[in-house]
Amino acid sequence: MSAGRVSSESVTTTLQRLMGEEAVVAPEALSSWTVGGAQPLAVGVPSSVEEVQALMRLAASEGLGVVPLGGRTDVGCEPPSGRFVALATHRLGGVHDYEPADLTVTAGAGVTLEALGATLAARGQWLPVDPPFAPRRTLGGLVATGAAGPLGTAYGGPRDHVLGLTVVTGDGQVLQLGGKVMKNVAGFDLVKLMVGSRGTLGVIVSASVRLFPRPEADRLLVASADEPGPLLSLALAVATGSVVPASAVLMSPGAVPGVGAVLAVRLQGATESVSAETARLPANGPAFRQASPEEADELRKRMRDGAATQPVVVRASSLPGQLPELLDAVKAALPRGDLVVDALAGGVRCGMPLEGADADALTKLRLRVETMGGSVTLERAPPDLVMRVPAYGPVGRAGALEAELRRRFDPGGVLSPGRFVR
Amino acid sequence: MVYPRESFTPPSESFVFQVTQPLSVALQRRLRGIVGEQRVITDPDRLLVYESDGLTAYRWPPRAVVLPADTREVSSVMGILHAEGIPMVPRGAGTGLSGGALAPEGAVVIGTARMTRILSLDPVSRVARLQPGVVNARLSEAARPHGLYYAPDPSSQSACTIGGNVAENSGGPHCLKYGVTSRYITGLTVVLPHGEVVELGGAARGPGAGYDLVGLFVGSEGCFGLATEVEVRLLPLPEGVRTLLAIFHTLEDAARAVTAIVGAGLLPAALEIMDNSSIRAVEASIFAAGYPVDAGAALVVEFDGTEAGLDADALRAEALCLEEGAREVRRATSPAERDALWKGRKKAFGAFGRLAPDLIVQDATVPRTKLTSVLHEIGEIGRRHGLTVANVFHAGDGNLHPKLLFDRRNADEVARVEEASREIMVACVAAGGTITGEHGVGVDKMKYMSLIYGEAELRAMRQAKGVFDPAGLMNPGKVIPDPEVAT
């Protein structure tokens, strides 16, 4: 292997020869394509399955890693081990096959959710996901991260929405997994294995997903207080009540500047049913009021992105019933963090400035949450913090299965080496 | 699909009843030492119960059946069998329709019949943990006092087990709105073939902490290991339900009405169609539900959710049905009336028994917009082969269940059924569909896998199995055809 010898210039030139002049990012722009603080040797921008294969083969022959990148909204904080090429998906675009009456669409990995959403909205449909920075997130990135956002409990997440995938594996093979139909149990579910595999098992080239009719009404109900405390029992009452909201998010004052702490409950459906549900929301706390359209737009953005904009972002998961304990633990460990709490899923995203993240406190938090059966993940963190606190927590015996799956799907260790599953 | 014994020649030719080699006395003693004297079945007469699953024409008797009580016993039993190189087949209630629970030559069945406890039910977090032998419907009964239920409801829900549902990634009539089993399985305790116990997933851990091994395991048809504990997500019971029965002159009209309802932005909980053959079968049986026997098709439309708004949805659906040519729409206003409207649909399977001695239930999914053309094609295939084909299916998600009636004693008819089944699969795949929507591949559909997958995909699936079952002892000879057969 020639790892460590091949130059950035020569990789760029070879990529241009394989895929065309425009198929690379200019050398001076490489610094904005870092992964976990590490800069790629080159960024290839393939526009077809064949070009993805060519890039994979080049990387394999040069002993380089490949890190697929979409909208770069959720890259993760682990640097790849060794030298690597970034594979940008923005030229793998296009809505290939949209049949509204089937409630399915097939599109290229590089399509942003904003562009896809506009196509779907024109036909009264949508893909109900709202992970951080969803509009800039690509379809491929959505699949690779598997992140659903607060809508995930009510609608399911990418794992439930993705019907089929075209992927290129580490050794350059093309796999057509799943299909375009709503129910499909033909063979083992490798689509589920790929969803959330964070660029370690294959490069997602295109995806078929199931869609939903847009709800007639989309109403946001808001309860506020100076501090999150008084809103927590209200949030739990919502999570365990008979009304099933589309999402219910509790935010600390820092996550919604100028408003105080907020519990935002999103109700969707027929206008008549949303009105009836509004009247049935629990009343064991500050009263709910309906947000104005402008306020609702802003709050929905905060529910989605709040806390995720900070330099250090930590996600902690538990069961909804464990939320009081989880929030106590998070607040004790990370007192400077802004909190965005998904009351239906039982998870919290905590964002803070660099100086607010203490490695020892994070380690202790992880231990405590793990004993609750939950997990703590670093979504964003500077390299020196990731060195001291691994981005992902312990995996138990299942970790051996994950590592072996990875080894079999990418025997050459080309895809995102050193990241995610070890 | 079902092949009569006379026509089907499995690779091992082991479908003829013979126990090739009983377990050694020493091995039997070890297994009995773990699970108890009565819980290792080796008596050929008692093994007969386990020679088939829901596809009753396949008959592969197991070498023995072991009935462990919990994770620890399963682990010990599997560890011993693995060390002896003996193939293992997990089995729930045996209601599967693809031969997945059949025992290949020399295999031992591990039944979940004693693992029937609901271990915990947390109404606050809406998760329950249970053993795999719990019957699907019993879980919803247990959740009901808390205002909760378990959403996936395959037609066999009064008999089938959660463990079997996990293995098959079972569907049912309510998948259009609620999705399939995999959406509701949050965690698993799995015993790997060599006896190791692993915890996969967990609702508290949330997604994103590693690969979705739960998602990979669900639907693996017993080929990866045996799930000894299943963590499921429960949903609040819907406040209200509205059920309509629309009667159409033609099947095509009914299929068009389904497309119109979905196209209008409505999201019914269920959209189920019965064709004329099915209606007549039901009405001639003890399950007669008052469907008009001259109707081309009957469509059941169901909405659930918040009470307010349901009537409006139902009225819109009714109007769309009438626009597409429905000659009559009946509305259920009480639970009893709802049961009556559903009765014909739910009992259709049983009603076919009096029409022909044997029946194949096919299973395939097509894009919803292709329903009309594919149904037409299936009708043509039936006519060409001189066969009665009846359709009862989940129209909302394009999941077809053509039923082919025949008599297994008629070798010529059997050959025509086999050929028609293959042509139906080819037609569904050509329409952009797949070879199974919810019944699984088992042994029955392996021959069709190469219609939808190339060798690269099949190899990837073998790789995944190899990670869980390197020795190839877990439900061998199922799902993924051998390389030479696949080409």
Side-chain angles (χ1 to χ4, degrees):
Chain A
M1 292 232 268
S2 53
R5 279 192 286 279
V6 63
S7 74
S8 177
E9 294 73 26
S10 79
V11 175
T12 300
T13 311
T14 312
L15 286 173
Q16 284 177 313
R17 183 169 52 74
L18 288 171
M19 315 191 296
E21 289 289 316
E22 288 84 61
V24 295
V25 163
E28 57 271 23
L30 290 181
S31 60
S32 65
W33 290 81
T34 56
V35 176
Q39 184 171 310
L41 272 188
V43 181
V45 197
S47 62
S48 67
V49 175
E50 293 73 21
E51 290 182 1
V52 172
Q53 291 179 284
L55 189 153
M56 298 304 292
R57 292 193 184 114
L58 169 69
S61 70
E62 296 289 351
L64 302 172
V66 174
V67 178
L69 295 173
R72 289 177 285 160
T73 60
D74 187 4
V75 173
C77 48
E78 297 167 302
S81 56
R83 293 161 28 116
F84 69 102
V85 175
L87 187 160
T89 60
H90 54 263
R91 288 172 76 212
L92 295 167
V95 175
H96 307 314
D97 184 8
Y98 178 28
E99 185 50 74
D102 285 335
L103 289 174
T104 58
V105 68
T106 303
V111 171
T112 63
L113 295 185
E114 184 167 39
L116 181 63
T119 304
L120 305 177
R123 304 301 297 266
Q125 297 180 351
W126 71 319
L127 177 60
V129 291
D130 58 350
F133 318 112
R136 286 192 286 125
R137 215 172 260 253
T138 60
L139 181 59
L142 180 78
V143 174
T145 59
L151 291 167
T153 302
Y155 285 97
R159 74 189 289 277
D160 307 299
H161 303 321
V162 178
L163 304 172
L165 294 173
T166 301
V167 303
V168 176
T169 58
D171 54 2
Q173 281 197 73
V174 181
L175 299 180
Q176 305 277 356
L177 304 174
K180 293 182 177 181
V181 287
M182 295 279 181
K183 278 158 97 180
N184 187 353
V185 293
F188 304 135
D189 199 344
L190 299 186
V191 170
K192 294 260 185 337
L193 179 61
M194 290 291 165
V195 174
S197 64
R198 291 196 157 268
T200 61
L201 296 176
V203 178
I204 290 141
V205 177
S206 70
S208 299
V209 294
R210 71 163 296 186
L211 306 171
F212 290 77
R214 284 186 83 85
E216 185 185 30
D218 188 352
R219 186 180 293 182
L220 201 64
L221 284 306
V222 186
S224 358
D226 294 336
E227 285 300 316
L231 296 172
L232 182 58
S233 51
L234 188 61
L236 286 174
V238 169
T240 56
S242 60
V243 170
V244 184
S247 58
V249 176
L250 172 60
M251 293 174 277
S252 68
V256 269
V259 188
V262 167
L263 172 64
V265 177
R266 195 169 175 183
L267 299 177
Q268 293 183 327
T271 309
E272 204 181 335
S273 56
V274 164
S275 296
E277 287 168 359
T278 304
R280 275 171 47 206
L281 284 177
N284 61 326
F288 282 106
R289 62 181 175 81
Q290 190 175 335
S292 71
E294 302 75 34
E295 191 188 4
D297 273 350
E298 181 58 28
L299 277 173
R300 275 196 295 264
K301 214 173 289 172
R302 298 283 176 183
M303 292 161 77
R304 194 187 69 201
D305 306 345
T309 51
Q310 295 272 17
V312 179
V313 182
V314 175
R315 194 185 63 231
S317 296
S318 69
L319 293 172
Q322 296 173 309
L323 265 180
E325 189 184 348
L326 183 76
L327 287 180
D328 279 350
V330 171
K331 279 192 277 194
L334 308 167
R336 296 187 57 181
D338 298 337
L339 304 177
V340 173
V341 183
D342 183 338
L344 304 184
V348 56
R349 176 173 282 117
C350 178
M352 68 217 88
L354 285 178
E355 58 277 18
D358 178 75
D360 293 338
L362 268 171
T363 302
K364 272 188 212 145
L365 171 67
R366 176 171 277 158
L367 274 173
R368 181 162 169 199
V369 176
E370 292 275 345
T371 59
M372 293 164 58
S375 67
V376 169
T377 303
L378 266 58
E379 292 191 331
R380 182 178 305 136
D384 59 324
L385 184 59
V386 181
M387 293 268 287
R388 298 174 62 197
V389 185
Y392 301 94
V395 284
R397 291 182 180 184
L401 294 172
E402 294 184 53
E404 183 61 14
L405 280 164
R406 182 169 186 178
R407 201 186 60 74
R408 294 203 187 202
F409 277 83
D410 183 21
V414 175
L415 282 161
S416 304
R419 308 189 80 217
F420 199 42
V421 164
R422 286 161 198 283
Chain B
M1 85 170 236
V2 181
Y3 289 102
R5 312 161 74 145
E6 289 78 9
S7 77
F8 180 67
T9 312
S12 62
E13 307 219 344
S14 62
F15 72 105
V16 180
F17 186 81
Q18 53 174 39
V19 175
T20 46
Q21 200 192 350
L23 295 180
S24 73
V25 174
L27 183 55
Q28 286 188 34
R29 194 178 306 129
R30 286 173 72 195
L31 294 172
R32 288 183 211 281
I34 296 162
V35 296
E37 197 60 32
Q38 304 302 314
R39 282 126 191 188
V40 177
I41 300 167
T42 52
D43 170 9
D45 288 341
R46 290 185 64 204
L47 289 177
L48 279 176
V49 178
Y50 299 90
E51 67 173 2
S52 294
D53 62 7
L55 288 192
T56 51
Y58 280 103
R59 280 154 210 230
W60 298 8
R63 205 168 164 189
V65 174
V66 185
L67 301 171
D70 55 25
T71 304
R72 196 184 51 79
E73 288 190 8
V74 171
S75 167
S76 302
V77 166
M78 288 174 65
I80 287 172
L81 293 172
H82 190 269
E84 298 286 329
I86 295 172
M88 298 167 257
V89 181
R91 183 184 176 103
T95 57
L97 291 167
S98 55
L102 294 170
E105 186 157 3
V108 169
V109 162
I110 302 172
T112 60
R114 288 175 66 218
M115 294 191 269
T116 56
R117 280 186 299 144
I118 295 173
L119 303 168
S120 64
L121 199 159
D122 174 352
V124 175
S125 297
R126 291 177 176 163
V127 292
R129 197 165 181 88
L130 44 145
Q131 291 187 308
V134 172
V135 169
N136 175 298
R138 215 189 107 213
L139 174 56
S140 282
E141 281 163 31
R144 181 172 281 275
H146 305 284
L148 301 171
Y149 78 115
Y150 177 68
D153 60 341
S155 299
S156 55
Q157 73 176 131
S158 58
C160 66
T161 62
I162 293 293
N165 294 172
V166 166
E168 302 296 319
N169 194 10
S170 304
H174 292 95
C175 301
L176 172 63
K177 182 171 176 183
Y178 291 101
V180 293
T181 296
S182 62
R183 197 177 151 193
Y184 298 90
I185 307 300
T186 51
L188 295 167
T189 301
V190 167
V191 179
L192 297 175
H194 60 286
E196 188 187 0
V197 180
V198 290
E199 295 295 328
L200 307 183
R205 290 189 67 77
Y211 294 153
D212 185 0
L213 296 187
V214 172
L216 178 62
F217 190 92
V218 173
S220 61
E221 301 196 25
C223 296
F224 286 9
L226 197 152
T228 52
E229 290 185 21
V230 184
E231 187 192 55
V232 303
R233 205 160 75 81
L234 303 170
L235 294 185
L237 284 161
E239 192 186 20
V241 182
R242 295 292 182 280
T243 309
L244 303 174
L245 178 73
I247 307 295
F248 291 87
H249 293 292
T250 68
L251 188 55
E252 287 76 12
D253 289 349
R256 255 199 340 274
V258 166
T259 298
I261 288 167
V262 174
L266 295 168
L267 192 59
L271 279 165
E272 298 284 308
I273 289 181
M274 290 173 69
D275 70 358
N276 175 263
S277 301
S278 311
I279 292 170
R280 280 187 293 136
V282 166
E283 291 307 315
S285 75
I286 54 164
F287 308 115
Y291 294 9
V293 292
D294 60 335
L299 167 65
V300 176
V301 186
E302 186 158 283
F303 293 94
D304 66 9
T306 299
E307 186 65 40
L310 285 178
D311 285 326
D313 282 352
L315 277 173
R316 271 182 82 194
E318 182 175 338
L320 290 165
C321 287
L322 292 170
E323 265 173 47
E324 297 298 340
R327 67 183 216 199
E328 177 192 352
V329 180
R330 301 178 190 173
R331 270 179 264 172
T333 49
S334 68
E337 285 176 18
R338 181 187 172 218
D339 289 347
L341 292 191
W342 269 105
K343 188 177 167 193
R345 166 65 186 90
K346 290 200 167 168
K347 296 296 182 187
F349 191 88
F352 288 110
R354 58 179 297 285
L355 294 187
D358 297 286
L359 164 72
I360 288 168
V361 186
Q362 270 303 351
D363 168 40
T365 313
V366 298
R368 189 185 305 106
T369 48
K370 300 292 193 326
L371 274 176
T372 306
S373 61
V374 169
L375 286 168
H376 182 76
E377 209 168 332
I378 290 172
E380 282 300 308
I381 291 167
R383 269 187 289 282
R384 204 159 55 234
H385 293 285
L387 297 168
T388 302
V389 183
N391 287 291
V392 180
F393 57 97
H394 312 305
D397 35 37
N399 189 188
L400 295 168
H401 291 315
K403 292 167 177 57
L404 288 76
L405 308 183
F406 68 105
D407 182 343
R408 73 170 66 174
R409 291 161 301 190
N410 181 340
D412 175 65
E413 193 170 55
V414 167
R416 283 181 280 129
V417 163
E418 195 172 330
E419 180 53 24
S421 291
R422 195 189 63 78
E423 288 177 20
I424 289 171
M425 287 299 121
V426 170
C428 290
V429 172
T434 190
I435 58 168
T436 170
E438 57 184 10
H439 292 173
V441 176
V443 291
D444 189 42
K445 292 245 163 116
M446 288 205 302
K447 56 188 172 291
Y448 303 133
M449 284 288 276
S450 58
L451 291 177
I452 49 169
Y453 294 117
E455 182 50 27
E457 289 80 14
L458 296 174
R459 197 183 313 120
M461 290 182 194
R462 282 183 214 112
Q463 277 174 356
K465 175 174 166 73
V467 169
F468 288 81
D469 179 26
L473 291 174
M474 206 67 209
N475 211 2
K478 310 276 175 72
V479 186
I480 312 298
D482 290 334
E484 58 276 14
V485 180
T487 48

